[in-house]
Amino acid sequence: MSFHSPRARPRTLPLCSQMHVLLALHGRGRLVLCSSVMGVLSSCSHGPCPPTAPTGAKRTLSASSSQPPSGPEPGSQPLKTRTLSGMASKTTTTMAPKRVAHSPSLQSLKKPIIPKEFGGKVPTVIRQRYLNLFIEECLKFCSSNQEAIEKALNEEKVAYDRSPSKNIYLNVAVNTLKKLRGLGPGAGAGLNKTSGRRVVSHEVVLGGKLAARTSFSLSRPSSPRVEDLKGAALYSRLKEYLLTEGQLKENGYPFPHPEKPGGAVIFTAEEKKPKDSSCRICCRCGAEYLVSSSGRCVREEECYYHWGRLRRNRVAGGWETQYTCCSAAIGSTGCQVAKQHVQDGRKENLEGFVKTFEKELSGDAHPGVYALDCEMSYTTYGLELTRVTVVDTDLQVVYDTFVRPDNEIVDYNTRFSGVTEADLADTSISLRDVQAVLLSMFSSDTVLIGHSLESDLLALKVIHSTVVDTSVLFPHRLGLPYKRSLRNLMADYLRQIIQDNVDGHSSSEDASACMHLVIWKIREDAKTKR
């Protein structure tokens, strides 16, 4: 290789068809590399360079053109061959990429858009996101795109109509998404097959490989574990959650009448009563109506009412009070129609009450812990008991029966009670029968758990003061008379959806939910006290 003058012009050295390296030779024979391919050149041995083509010429190197020149040194390999082999191992591949068939996706479809509304109970962005997810799942098992879109729209509308708040909508939407994924092809078969992915435990991710084989412990006070609280231990822990006498009076619980045996008294503010004894005020629409001596309406008149609660929602320009059932403004015509007006009546006739009494117990026994829930229907008298359910600490139903009211039923209130005419067709159990059973099960020291339990005790006509009320345990941020619904409490704290049946509420489900909430509350409070 002959060296030229240090002032010689730089020459391009084509190492391959896609890369050129500019080398400049200086006076002392040093090579100045003017490129960022140091790793590529390092694989080439420093041997004599082959002659290059004139400047500007293009050459394509291939495996067939890498023939050894005439007269090579014995046992040596030309620089061009070594360079090509090194470059090929680093920059080329012989495997052609696999072609993937195009599958129609949600982007290729004309997506339905949910219209925006001010003050909606669920943001439109959240509804649109879940609608898109529903469409993607429905496309997997529906015969056509139109069918998939219609089914997804229907599922989203059902979830929205059943959800009075954003949190409940999220839970209902997640359950709906799980249901749709189970309808897809291969959903059942894929459950028994293990994927080829490597499973990494949570401990390994956080603490490394030794974390899964290492145990950590902290010294704790020798207090009983909450998970082991059963029987007497649970009863003892519940004492700090009992309602005080002031809370019982404030929430409208019945107390024994000081003068009338079998009578009760309520210390809440009395409601305004009409002057005429034959005039009643409908507890659903607020209209006045006349009744006969038997309690039936004098004239037939339909009742237009809203079954949902009033809630303040932010709208354009401020706040607006709307009903949760139909999002209508306050003062609007009711969204539901009933055949006639009805009244509550439980706080007007406070007679026929019984009171729990003390009982002797053995040394290791405790008075017991139960959750209770009742369902009521409208009669000519007002709201009367039609079903009662009692649940123990293991969420097992220990007493459940339908009850025939003393007066004629005018509205079964099935939307909330879940009781139908067929349920009471063969029932002969009366309110007195239920009172006798409950007095034999409970004592005055038995802890009863419920949600707005004063309503159930008024329907049962039972006076009991050892209670844990979840509406007081989880109060509304605005205070009384506002109370949070049991459905919202289960959705917010336990991420569970209850009262989702279109056939009405279930007293056993509500009683179990109250017991579950109280036990969860005890465990959460125990964590903060450690």
Side-chain angles (χ1 to χ4, degrees), residues 364-440:
D364 56 346
H366 63 90
V369 178
Y370 299 98
L372 181 144
D373 186 72
C374 297
E375 305 295 349
M376 284 82 74
S377 300
Y378 290 104
T379 67
T380 54
Y381 160 78
L383 274 176
E384 290 192 55
L385 180 72
T386 50
R387 185 181 180 183
V388 58
T389 304
V390 181
V391 175
D392 61 10
T393 55
D394 295 324
L395 306 183
Q396 299 297 320
V397 177
V398 295
Y399 182 62
D400 184 15
T401 182
F402 290 101
V403 185
R404 178 168 290 280
D406 297 333
N407 300 279
E408 179 186 357
I409 297 178
V410 296
D411 192 334
Y412 284 90
N413 195 28
T414 306
R415 174 185 289 275
F416 296 101
S417 67
V419 179
T420 62
E421 183 179 359
D423 295 330
L424 303 181
D426 301 328
T427 301
S428 59
I429 303 297
S430 65
L431 176 62
R432 296 300 175 188
D433 298 330
V434 174
Q435 289 177 336
V437 172
L438 295 183
L439 289 180
S440 65

Side-chain angles (χ1 to χ4, degrees), residues 194-210:
T194 57
S195 61
R197 293 183 177 181
R198 178 187 176 188
V199 180
V200 182
S201 66
H202 183 68
E203 292 83 359
V204 171
V205 173
L206 293 181
K209 296 181 179 180
L210 295 179

Side-chain angles (χ1 to χ4, degrees), residues 214-230:
T214 307
S215 62
F216 302 91
S217 62
L218 297 175
S219 58
R220 297 288 188 188
S222 58
S223 59
R225 294 167 51 190
V226 179
E227 292 79 3
D228 297 337
L229 289 179
K230 294 288 184 179

